[in-house]
Structures are given as structure tokens and as C-alpha cells.
Amino acid sequence: MRFLSHSVYAGHHNASKHHDIVDVAASNDMFSTLVAAVKAGGLVETLKGDGPFTIFAPTDDAFAALPDGTLEMLLKPENKEVLVSILSYHVVAGKVKAKDVVKLSSATTVEGSKVNIEANSSGVMINNANVIKADVDAQNGVIHVIDKVLLPQEVALQL
């Protein structure tokens, strides 16, 4: 497996133990789009809550790979419901570390739909996204960094 299990929080290995998922994501430049989307979706307080949460966190590059105009459309106030659906599709209740993720074939997201999980010698995939960094710890959960934005089936059909 090509998992890396160190924190991305400001280069300090134990700093994330005192910061929630939102703080950890906000401290890293590769999640600026995700943080903006969480704010636009009104999910900051939820993700600062007790949790625990497992977040499959798309990088800024993953958001940039969406079809032209998609991100801008999702960030508009009138599309908040769709944005929340997409974001909650990246969240699983509980703290699921990499050693446990690799034993699963699927997981039910907070959005209500399942994501497929496939682990093999080349890594772990969540639907069609590769996990590029796993086990980024936070006080209220864990982040697994992915290289694509996950879209619930009904949303994908609309885009």
C-alpha cells in the first residue's frame, strides 16, 4: 500500500490532535476549495462537532478537474442543497482508519448513498478516486485525501 500516515497540519506530527477536521483542512493549501465549499454549504459547525467523522477530502486539483463551470455553479446560494449532498457524500460517520478501510468493500455516507471501496496492491480507491494520503488525524476524526470529487449518482446525472 502507498498510504502515508503523517499529518498535513502545518508540518507538525501531533498538532492535528488538538484541531478539528475543518482546522486541519483549512491549514493546508491543497484543501482551499473544499474549505470554501464547506463554508458555502453551511457545514462548518457540523464538521467542527464531536463526530467522529471520516472525510474523503478532494484536493483543489480534484475540484479543478470537474467540468468547466461546475464548481462555480455549485457555490451559488441557490444550489446549496446539491452542494451539501455532494459534500456529505464524502463523509462517513465514525473514525475509519486506513487499516479498517482496506477491509471494506463499501461504506454508507452521511448523504445516505454508499461509496465503493477497492483495495489492492496499487492502493485504495473510493469509487473512481485514488486515496493519495491516508490517516490524516484530527481531534474529531480522520481525513483520507483523494484525487477526484465523489458525486452521488443522482447528482452526477444532473451535471
Side-chain angles (χ1 to χ4, degrees), residues 7-157:
S7 171
V8 294
Y9 186 83
H12 295 35
H13 291 286
N14 295 320
S16 62
K17 296 287 185 201
H18 306 291
H19 298 280
D20 60 52
I21 285 173
V22 176
D23 293 338
V24 173
S27 73
N28 192 291
D29 291 342
M30 78 169 128
F31 298 126
S32 59
T33 306
L34 176 61
V35 171
V38 166
K39 288 177 182 176
L43 297 174
V44 171
E45 288 307 310
T46 300
L47 294 177
K48 282 182 161 290
D50 291 339
F53 305 105
T54 299
I55 308 290
F56 299 112
T59 63
D60 288 350
D61 289 343
F63 279 102
L66 288 171
D68 285 347
T70 302
L71 181 60
E72 293 77 10
M73 179 268 301
L74 290 172
L75 293 176
K76 290 181 178 175
E78 63 267 25
N79 296 319
K80 181 176 178 180
E81 189 175 313
V82 176
L83 178 63
V84 169
S85 176
I86 291 169
L87 292 172
S88 60
Y89 189 62
H90 290 79
V91 181
V92 174
K95 186 173 188 173
V96 186
K97 301 286 274 186
K99 65 181 176 53
D100 300 314
V101 169
V102 299
K103 299 175 190 171
L104 303 173
S105 61
S106 67
T108 302
T109 68
V110 171
E111 181 266 344
S113 302
K114 289 184 184 254
V115 289
N116 294 315
I117 301 170
E118 184 180 333
N120 58 41
S121 60
S122 62
V124 175
M125 292 190 74
I126 309 299
N127 289 353
N128 64 340
N130 293 297
V131 175
I132 56 175
K133 185 178 295 227
D135 291 346
V136 178
D137 283 314
Q139 182 180 8
N140 62 344
V142 62
I143 298 170
H144 301 298
V145 184
I146 57 175
D147 66 354
K148 289 187 176 61
V149 175
L150 305 174
L151 297 173
Q153 187 171 359
E154 65 278 2
V155 173
L157 294 173

